[in-house]
Amino acid sequence: MTHHLDATDPLAGFTSRFIQSNEVRAYLDGNSLGRPLTATLERLAGFVSHDWGSRLIRSWDEQWMQLPLALGDRIGHVTLGAAAGQCVVADSTTVLLYKLIRAAVDARPGRTEIVIDRDNFPTDRFILEGIAAERGLTLRWIDTDPDGGVTPELVADAVGPDTALVVLSQVAYRSGFIAEVEQITAITHESGALMLWDLCHSAGVVPTELDAWNVDIAVGCSYKYLNGGPGAPAFAYVASRLQPELHQPIQGWMGAADVFAMADEFVPADGMRRFLSGTPPVLAMVPLHDMLNVIEEAGLPGIRSKSLALTAFVIEWSDANLSGLGVTVGSPRADEHRGSHVTLRHPAFREVTELLWRRDVIPDFRFPDGLRIGLSPLSTTFAEVQLGLELVRDILAELAE
Ligand SMILES: *Cc1c(COP(=O)(O)O)cnc(C)c1O
């Protein structure tokens, strides 16, 4: 099937670099698990036969000890606007959130509050609940419009002399709303607090300038728009100026100043290595190289343009063809606030999602009534989006009969 928007899409050629499958008619969940690149098949095979199979333990010296930092630098350079020496790949987002939030609140002693919004991703909220209990801190909750997100005004109202840390997502996982990172970070700094940004739904698709925006700390996952594969480790960014004063709580040998000194006491490494704990998940980092190469080749500005075109297409198509069936758009309409997924809302969408999956059209469902259409610009075609939306329309019409 062809679509006129694919014919004029300058990035259309990239879609064929991903593994195709006749068990998928429309993949609309690249914001949850990115598709694998064909190049990754060969890279994984080469890893097993050469890096692991032939070089064996020598690979630790030859590349693996440096890999968390080298790959972190590459993510920073290609997607985050971060100069070298400020990113590392490790753990999961959940664990990195724990480590960095603990480090951040400990770096602001005497301040008793952590600010977060109620619609933030569950793991972010759950981790904060635990840390607040552990450290005797209070959570200050920001309430947001569920179809929108956190605004600078809401943050300005929530922070004050007691705030130790503000934790927010750049792109809201439900609505796709993009927060104003630079402005909100500045407001947080004026109160004397630190700011942590969760970039899970932005890395690789919504450009950031972490250095230029004076961001303190950021974390994000690599299996969404970075296509690292299920369970691929997360990344963290800590601004150079902050690294010496942050001490994370899971101090293991891989974060020590001299890993093989087998020292009596823990002395943290300088720089980003101090945020490592145990042996890095090397195997799970392998596929990331391929997507970073492709993102660099395509260029983030072009990726962002296609993302906006795809999300605009979903919103326009829904307005024209689904609104009569009771569907509303639960995502921002303004370009500057629109991330790379669109949430459509309808009370029947849980049931509709199941029927879509049975027919190999794969978006996801988010409680209470959201059909999330994830649009990964390098792998998603306009044709498959249209095919998916047409099926949504047909199923809703059938259910209404
Ligand atoms: C996907 C996502 C996570 C995932 O955390 P894991 O530890 O990888 O399971 C966390 N936060 C946000 C905002 C996410 O979108």
Side-chain angles (χ1 to χ4, degrees):
M1 196 168 85
T2 55
H3 192 283
H4 72 276
L5 290 172
D6 288 316
T8 54
D9 167 19
L11 300 185
F14 284 97
T15 59
S16 62
R17 304 226 198 148
F18 294 82
I19 290 179
Q20 305 299 311
S21 162
N22 53 19
E23 290 172 43
V24 181
R25 287 170 68 213
Y27 188 57
L28 305 176
D29 210 10
N31 59 321
S32 188
L33 178 67
R35 298 187 85 140
L37 284 151
T38 312
T40 301
L41 279 177
E42 207 176 306
R43 185 183 295 274
L44 278 169
F47 177 87
V48 174
S49 62
H50 180 263
D51 300 13
W52 182 9
S54 301
R55 300 309 296 159
L56 287 161
I57 196 178
R58 292 171 290 190
S59 277
W60 281 110
D61 289 339
E62 288 163 3
Q63 43 170 329
W64 296 340
M65 285 300 284
Q66 280 311 312
L67 187 60
L69 301 164
L71 202 51
D73 280 348
R74 196 134 162 73
I75 291 174
H77 172 71
V78 174
T79 75
L80 304 177
Q86 302 177 104
C87 294
V88 74
V89 174
D91 308 307
S92 61
T93 301
T94 302
V95 173
L96 279 183
L97 280 169
Y98 178 77
K99 288 159 72 165
L100 289 165
I101 291 168
R102 272 285 306 264
V105 297
D106 289 355
R108 287 292 177 274
R111 291 178 170 246
T112 55
E113 291 190 354
I114 308 174
V115 172
I116 184 170
D117 67 300
R118 251 183 237 288
D119 203 34
N120 211 323
F121 192 81
T123 218
D124 302 57
R125 292 182 282 110
F126 298 165
I127 286 288
L128 277 186
E129 250 180 74
I131 290 176
E134 212 171 59
R135 303 311 260 182
L137 301 169
T138 304
L139 300 185
R140 181 178 283 270
W141 295 96
I142 295 177
D143 287 303
T144 58
D145 167 7
D147 296 346
V150 182
T151 61
E153 296 70 32
L154 289 170
V155 176
D157 286 346
V159 296
D162 291 331
T163 314
L165 176 71
V166 177
V167 176
L168 298 173
S169 293
Q170 184 192 14
V171 173
Y173 81 100
R174 220 192 295 256
S175 69
F177 177 91
I178 302 181
E180 283 140 307
V181 173
E182 185 174 20
Q183 206 182 334
I184 291 174
T185 302
I187 291 166
T188 298
H189 286 166
E190 275 164 34
S191 78
L194 291 170
M195 174 93 224
L196 185 153
W197 285 101
D198 185 323
L199 306 179
C200 280
H201 270 87
S202 35
V205 74
V206 174
T208 53
E209 293 296 339
L210 298 187
D211 289 347
W213 294 347
N214 208 19
V215 166
D216 297 321
I217 305 167
V219 297
C221 59
S222 68
Y223 50 79
K224 291 172 178 165
Y225 297 104
L226 293 177
N227 302 50
F235 65 84
Y237 164 93
V238 178
S240 302
R241 64 180 185 286
L242 271 180
Q243 291 170 17
E245 57 170 307
L246 291 195
H247 298 276
Q248 58 99 351
I250 307 179
Q251 46 183 52
W253 70 314
M254 283 286 162
D258 185 348
V259 175
F260 290 102
M262 305 300 173
D264 291 335
E265 281 180 0
F266 179 78
V267 177
D270 287 336
M272 290 307 287
R273 180 173 288 285
R274 65 173 51 199
F275 300 107
L276 294 182
S277 296
T279 301
V282 172
L283 183 52
M285 295 185 201
V286 173
L288 258 170
H289 291 96
D290 294 310
M291 190 60 175
L292 289 167
N293 289 345
V294 171
I295 292 174
E296 192 167 42
E297 188 185 335
L300 258 193
I303 291 173
R304 173 70 178 148
S305 299
K306 179 166 177 192
S307 164
L308 282 169
L310 285 162
T311 50
F313 176 66
V314 171
I315 292 174
E316 283 160 24
W317 205 92
S318 175
D319 285 346
N321 303 287
L322 301 176
S323 57
L325 293 159
V327 173
T328 58
V329 174
S331 292
R333 287 171 182 272
D335 280 9
E336 69 271 23
H337 284 302
R338 224 162 64 235
S340 206
H341 66 272
V342 175
T343 296
L344 301 177
R345 304 181 64 178
H346 188 284
F349 271 162
R350 185 189 288 279
E351 193 181 349
V352 170
T353 305
E354 266 175 46
L355 296 169
L356 289 168
W357 278 39
R358 273 191 227 158
R359 297 189 214 176
D360 296 330
V361 169
I362 313 168
D364 68 21
F365 174 78
R366 283 294 176 266
F367 185 81
D369 59 0
L371 185 73
R372 264 195 335 178
I373 316 251
L375 303 148
S376 193
L378 293 174
S379 62
T380 310
T381 63
F382 289 90
E384 74 183 315
V385 175
Q386 169 140 356
L387 183 151
L389 292 172
E390 283 171 357
L391 195 54
V392 171
R393 177 195 60 197
D394 296 348
I395 291 172
L396 279 176
E398 278 167 36
L399 291 175
E401 270 169 16

